[in-house]
Amino acid sequence: MREVNVRLITEKVRNLCMEANTDLGEDVLQAFDRAIEKEESPLGVEILKELKENARIAKEEKVPICQDTGFAVIFLEIGQEVHLVGGDLREAIFEGVRQGYRDGYLRNSVCHPFTRANTGDNTPAIIHTDIVPGEKVKIQVAPKGGGSENMSRVVMLTPSDGVDGMKRFVVQRVKESGSNPCPPTIVGVGIGGTFEEAALLAKKSLLRPLGSKNPDPELDRLEAEILQEINRLGIGPQGLGGRTTSLAVHIRMMPCHIASFPLAVNIQCHAQRHKEAVI
Ligand code: SF4
């Protein structure tokens, strides 16, 4: 059994909140470059270049990539040989979020759903925990902006809707979202499981690096087909027209109940922020 003090988790979460909000991943920058090569709209190309420039300034000056610094979504993988000591894990994570948003001058974006009163420190965070073999703790911090999250949906299709019904729903969701999720987007798709698991699959699919292949060849082919249809919609960068409505479609799938066909579409804006650390 390896002991890990939760103080260390607080420290990592603090740093990851600041890093994720100011340093866009290399995979996203490369996806912008590929899109610039393919984009036919001059205005679209200009916007994609602006997005790259925005990311450069954010990294160099340590300022947020976007004013919406997001709801802090935390993915934890805890090795089953790990013994967490030194306090309450959940509170340790919340403290890391508090410190990260305070010290990084990041906007607090969490409020009471009815009164809209801000909680004041960007907590609570959303924590998803997986217990895995081994003696390590992996922490991924993925701040999620409201504009793109609002365009996301979960639907319970019927088994007879099939693959075509799934594709239609995903493309239609992107079409109806228009410019709201700040395109170019990354479209996370969760298929199967249950109502709540489909949403989690969709969100987790967004953690996969842009430009990487889906390990399942059938899903990889479907991702390419759906992306092609989406990029024929003409929404384009920031909704001002062009071919680059989405940079990628990522699918995660698992078996579902014989009577069901759960489907979730989690739309991610171009501020595709996530950073990780392993303890
Ligand atoms: S959707 Fe994304 S890019 Fe647009 S305002 Fe929200 S966080 Fe920023």
Side-chain angles (χ1 to χ4, degrees):
M1 209 44 128
R2 176 181 170 230
E3 286 198 349
V4 172
N5 195 302
V6 294
R7 266 202 322 273
L8 200 52
I9 293 180
T10 298
E11 191 187 310
K12 294 287 182 202
V13 169
R14 170 193 177 273
N15 295 343
L16 291 171
C17 285
M18 294 196 285
E19 220 183 297
N21 266 298
T22 54
D23 183 5
L24 205 56
E26 197 53 41
D27 61 327
V28 186
L29 297 174
Q30 285 172 8
F32 288 160
D33 283 335
R34 287 193 295 274
I36 288 168
E37 290 297 309
K38 285 191 195 157
E39 183 55 66
E40 288 164 1
S41 149
L43 184 55
V45 169
E46 214 38 56
I47 291 167
L48 289 163
K49 287 182 179 169
E50 290 289 334
L51 294 180
K52 274 190 72 182
E53 177 64 0
N54 178 63
R56 183 192 66 75
I57 295 169
K59 186 172 181 177
E60 283 180 17
E61 298 187 12
K62 301 244 176 299
V63 293
I65 297 156
C66 179
Q67 45 76 33
D68 182 352
T69 50
F71 209 129
V73 181
I74 318 283
F75 294 93
L76 277 183
E77 282 181 16
I78 302 179
Q80 60 194 27
E81 305 301 331
V82 171
H83 179 207
L84 294 167
V85 297
D88 179 331
L89 172 64
R90 188 168 170 271
E91 186 43 45
I93 291 171
F94 285 8
E95 183 55 25
V97 171
R98 260 180 221 117
Q99 291 181 13
Y101 276 70
R102 181 196 65 208
D103 298 347
Y105 302 99
L106 306 174
R107 191 186 77 183
N108 293 324
S109 306
V110 179
C111 71
H112 187 287
F114 294 162
T115 66
R116 312 309 291 178
N118 199 298
T119 62
D121 57 8
N122 223 49
T123 68
I126 305 295
I127 306 171
H128 301 294
T129 309
D130 284 322
I131 305 297
V132 298
E135 51 172 33
K136 292 187 176 152
V137 176
K138 181 171 165 185
I139 309 164
Q140 291 175 293
V141 173
K144 191 69 172 73
S148 56
E149 195 74 345
N150 287 348
M151 295 300 110
S152 304
R153 297 287 186 273
V154 179
V155 62
M156 302 303 280
L157 298 178
T158 62
S160 62
D161 284 315
V163 179
D164 286 345
M166 178 277 290
K167 285 167 78 175
R168 262 197 310 279
F169 185 88
V170 176
V171 175
Q172 187 61 19
R173 183 80 299 270
V174 175
K175 187 176 178 185
E176 285 171 12
S177 300
S179 64
N180 289 307
C182 300
T185 54
I186 297 101
V187 183
V189 180
I191 302 171
T194 51
F195 180 82
E196 81 284 7
E197 190 65 25
L200 192 52
L201 287 170
K203 181 136 287 173
K204 279 187 176 174
S205 78
L206 297 172
L207 298 172
R208 205 177 98 209
L210 286 179
S212 63
K213 278 185 120 25
N214 193 311
D216 179 328
E218 190 193 353
L219 297 183
D220 196 62
R221 180 181 53 77
L222 276 172
E223 288 180 356
E225 286 173 15
I226 298 171
L227 181 64
Q228 201 174 37
E229 280 190 47
I230 287 172
N231 284 338
R232 280 198 205 112
L233 294 172
I235 296 168
Q238 294 298 300
L240 294 171
R243 290 170 63 91
T244 322
T245 300
S246 294
L247 297 169
V249 174
H250 286 180
I251 304 178
R252 276 180 88 141
M253 185 166 81
M254 68 178 292
C256 60
H257 189 281
I258 51 171
S260 308
F261 187 172
L263 171 65
V265 182
N266 194 195
I267 300 196
Q268 169 64 52
C269 59
H270 64 80
Q272 161 66 320
R273 300 162 289 194
H274 53 90
K275 293 290 175 196
E276 64 180 63
V278 178
I279 299 172

